[in-house]
Amino acid sequence: MNTLVAEPSAARPRSAPAVDPAAAVARTRARPGLGDTFNQTFAMAWRALKKMRRNPEQFFDVALQPLLFTAMFAYVFGGAISGDVDSYLPLLIPGIVAQTVLTTCMATGVQMREDMDKGVFDRFRSLPMSRIAPLAGPMMADLIRYLIAAVLTYLMGLLLGYRPGGGVLGVVGAVVLAVFTGWALAWAFTWIGTLARSARSVQGISMMILFPLTFLSNAFVPADTLPGWLESFTKINPVSHLVSGTRDLANNGVITGQVGWTLLAGLCVIVIFMPLSVLSYKRHL
């Protein structure tokens, strides 16, 4: 009796390589267009505004700091620097505006780091949205905080006796210049927020950078009263250009070269730190 011999079975097929579901879904999604990017950015800005409304303590620094700093610096340094408070206010108020807006923009990087630590940005990974929207949206909402800080500073100055020679248009121009500069510098702090390990470290690094630049400027004292080496640093300090530009607009109603240098510096900061922030943010996805 013949014994049937079974043919050797075909080789088993190799196991399929593992596929990352998130990567597969990302490849099937269409890239957001320019219109989608704008819509998503405004949606994220609206989210940030609702978050501010539910957390009123985020407005404490922009509401209390301008009032306290303006009154404190005016009465403490007014007589020593300019002889009296009224003479010191045209020098002080634009400097306080610059300082308040710049210190306020530090919170942008801190809040973004807090969202990243809480896992909020992890949820954005699964959404078909532009990578810049989660960064630019909150920064657009922060424009309201900068505006509040600048307006309150000028209102406090008016209560103390400050009368801007540039009129309403000059003050509006000074506010716009300060708000734009704060928004531009916020991109640098956003980049720091994507690199630092905690919100506390973001705040510490930001203060270490910004406070020396603010106080080693012509914001509170005339530059010609400083030692020679410090006066030289003050003249090249970008904060000094901002303060001088806001003074020219608010006190005299004129657009000078200081305004142009401030705008140019702000644009350079945006061009450098906006792409760095997006690239650093994408590494966390």
Side-chain angles (χ1 to χ4, degrees), residues 134-284:
L135 305 180
M139 291 186 60
M140 291 184 61
D142 283 340
L143 289 174
I144 296 179
R145 301 175 71 245
Y146 309 152
L147 183 62
I148 292 174
V151 171
L152 287 179
T153 302
Y154 277 109
L155 290 178
M156 187 62 182
L158 292 175
L159 291 176
L160 296 178
Y162 173 57
R163 298 297 180 263
V168 176
L169 291 180
V171 171
V172 171
V175 170
V176 171
L177 181 65
V179 170
F180 167 78
T181 306
W183 186 81
L185 190 60
W187 280 108
F189 295 127
T190 298
W191 177 63
I192 295 174
T194 61
L195 298 178
R197 296 184 178 181
S198 65
R200 181 175 298 179
S201 62
V202 175
Q203 186 174 10
I205 295 172
S206 302
M207 292 179 63
M208 184 177 61
I209 295 173
L210 192 55
F211 267 55
L213 290 177
T214 303
F215 285 97
L216 298 180
S217 68
N218 62 350
F220 307 112
V221 297
D224 54 9
T225 63
L226 301 174
W229 62 271
L230 186 54
E231 181 181 359
S232 300
F233 174 78
T234 300
K235 291 181 179 180
I236 62 174
N237 187 347
V239 177
S240 295
H241 294 299
L242 169 61
V243 173
S244 298
T246 54
R247 283 178 183 152
D248 293 334
L249 289 168
N251 295 336
N252 304 316
V254 295
I255 301 175
T256 61
Q258 299 293 338
V259 177
W261 283 114
T262 303
L263 293 175
L264 179 61
L267 291 175
C268 291
V269 171
I270 294 173
V271 170
I272 294 173
F273 287 101
M274 181 186 289
L276 288 177
S277 299
V278 176
L279 290 175
S280 182
Y281 164 69
K282 290 174 67 175
R283 293 193 185 101
H284 293 275

